[in-house]
Amino acid sequence: MRIIGITGGIGSGKSTVARVFQLLGIPIYSADDAAKSIMTRDPALVEQIKGHFGPEAYFPDGSLNRKFIAGIVFNDRAQLDTLNSFVHPATIRDSEAWARRQQAPYVVKEAALMYESESFHHVDKVIVVYAPQALRIQRVMQRDNVGRQDVLARMHKQLDEQIKLKLADYVIYNDEQQMVIPQVLALHERLLALG
């Protein structure tokens, strides 16, 4: 199964582009959503997290104590890196198993941290969704009801957009200057032609 990655900076419109592919009948795997689920349903991952962060990382009902984990990892980059070193491999394994179950010409894996997590090594091609920083900041402030500094702090945790563009196999511009749907349709035809 050919796996096509979609990534881009926060507020670039990755999810919007993924939904267009989904409307074309292409199965979509959201790595960010899946990671949240995997952190409670993958027994080996649960044990890793409990072993490192302590039993209070989970509530008695088995759900993740997100506030507890966030309080640790968002104040300590080393702890965040440790958590990611547990979660990213489990998510990659889950996405590969999911892809094998699909019946489509190709599938799309959407991941905010595709390059940062090194999961780009596990996809055949990467699409980067690009939008200028000012527009991305505005979108995230409106979407998440947060301030500019909060958005900038999140952006600084992601790889620079210019580096992503250089690493991309394809780019979709979501800059409010070019229409997204025709770009996705054209790219869909190219991906189908890959066989």
Side-chain angles (χ1 to χ4, degrees):
M1 174 58 68
R2 189 177 300 276
I3 304 175
I4 308 300
I6 292 183
T7 193
I10 185 171
S12 63
K14 297 177 296 297
S15 298
T16 300
V17 169
R19 278 194 293 274
V20 178
F21 278 102
Q22 192 168 34
L23 290 171
L24 295 171
I26 301 302
I28 305 298
Y29 181 90
S30 170
D32 298 344
D33 292 342
K36 292 172 186 168
S37 170
I38 291 166
M39 290 172 77
T40 60
R41 65 178 166 81
D42 181 318
L45 178 58
V46 169
E47 286 309 308
Q48 276 186 304
I49 292 170
K50 282 183 179 177
H52 183 79
F53 295 102
E56 49 282 316
Y58 289 85
F59 291 111
D61 68 359
S63 62
L64 185 68
N65 186 342
R66 295 189 186 284
K67 188 173 182 179
F68 173 78
I69 295 288
I72 296 170
V73 302
F74 291 123
N75 295 315
D76 185 334
R77 181 61 194 229
Q79 294 282 19
L80 178 60
D81 290 344
T82 298
L83 179 63
N84 286 339
S85 76
F86 299 157
V87 176
H88 290 158
T91 305
I92 290 167
R93 286 191 304 274
D94 186 69
S95 69
E96 290 173 341
W98 170 86
R100 286 191 295 273
R101 296 190 302 269
Q102 304 309 307
Q103 299 294 318
Y106 65 92
V107 298
V108 167
K109 177 181 179 180
E110 176 198 352
L113 301 177
M114 184 158 295
Y115 290 115
E116 297 86 341
S117 68
E118 306 246 338
S119 63
F120 71 96
H121 292 299
H122 302 271
V123 299
D124 297 292
K125 299 284 184 184
V126 177
I127 301 166
V128 169
V129 180
Y130 172 79
Q133 183 174 347
L135 182 56
R136 291 169 47 222
I137 291 169
Q138 177 187 355
R139 287 174 180 164
V140 177
M141 286 173 63
Q142 290 174 347
R143 180 190 74 194
D144 297 351
N145 196 27
V146 294
R148 178 181 172 79
Q149 293 307 316
D150 289 332
V151 179
L152 288 170
R154 291 188 208 173
M155 286 181 167
H156 289 304
K157 291 180 179 159
Q158 295 184 340
L159 188 66
D160 181 82
E161 284 299 288
Q162 296 307 310
I163 296 172
K164 287 181 184 177
L165 289 172
K166 288 178 183 168
L167 295 171
D169 294 296
Y170 309 105
V171 178
I172 291 185
Y173 295 91
N174 187 16
D175 56 6
E176 298 184 356
Q177 303 298 312
Q178 301 173 65
M179 293 174 60
V180 169
I181 292 175
Q183 293 178 75
V184 174
L185 290 172
L187 185 50
H188 176 62
E189 292 304 319
R190 289 178 69 182
L191 293 170
L192 289 175
L194 293 176

